[in-house]
Amino acid sequence: MRMRHRERGREGNTVAKVSISLDAELVVEVMVLAGVGSPQDAVEAVVRDYIARGHRTETRTDFKDRGLREIDAKPQEPQG
């Protein structure tokens, strides 16, 4: 993997570009599945999907963790 150059991103901020080598069959399969016409778009689609999935998982686990904290914070009745 090697860094290429910096370009302007969608929001106008500077983003670094990275060049990597991938198995061509994998990229073609992603292109077909994602319905995109270029290897660049295929890889970006996979990476964006992976990131979005991670954010969804964080959101779900955060809600669960908050619920558990609320249960733990409630006064418990004496057991015995």
Side-chain angles (χ1 to χ4, degrees):
M1 179 168 50
R2 63 185 160 97
M3 298 293 285
R4 268 193 1 210
H5 58 281
R6 297 187 180 274
E7 296 179 4
R8 293 277 175 201
R10 292 184 181 163
E11 291 83 30
N13 49 346
T14 304
V15 294
K17 295 290 181 176
V18 177
S19 296
I20 59 172
S21 298
L22 295 171
D23 182 280
E25 289 181 21
L26 293 175
V27 176
V28 170
E29 189 166 348
V30 171
M31 289 172 64
V32 170
L33 291 171
V36 297
S38 76
Q40 177 76 31
D41 291 343
V43 173
E44 284 186 11
V46 170
V47 171
R48 289 181 194 285
D49 181 63
Y50 183 81
I51 291 169
R53 185 176 305 185
H55 289 306
R56 290 191 301 270
T57 300
E58 288 173 357
T59 300
R60 283 195 309 268
T61 57
D62 185 45
F63 287 142
K64 182 179 178 182
D65 289 346
R66 265 192 240 159
L68 292 174
R69 282 193 296 269
E70 289 171 4
I71 291 170
D72 288 342
K74 291 181 184 176
Q76 297 182 356
E77 295 183 21
Q79 299 177 1

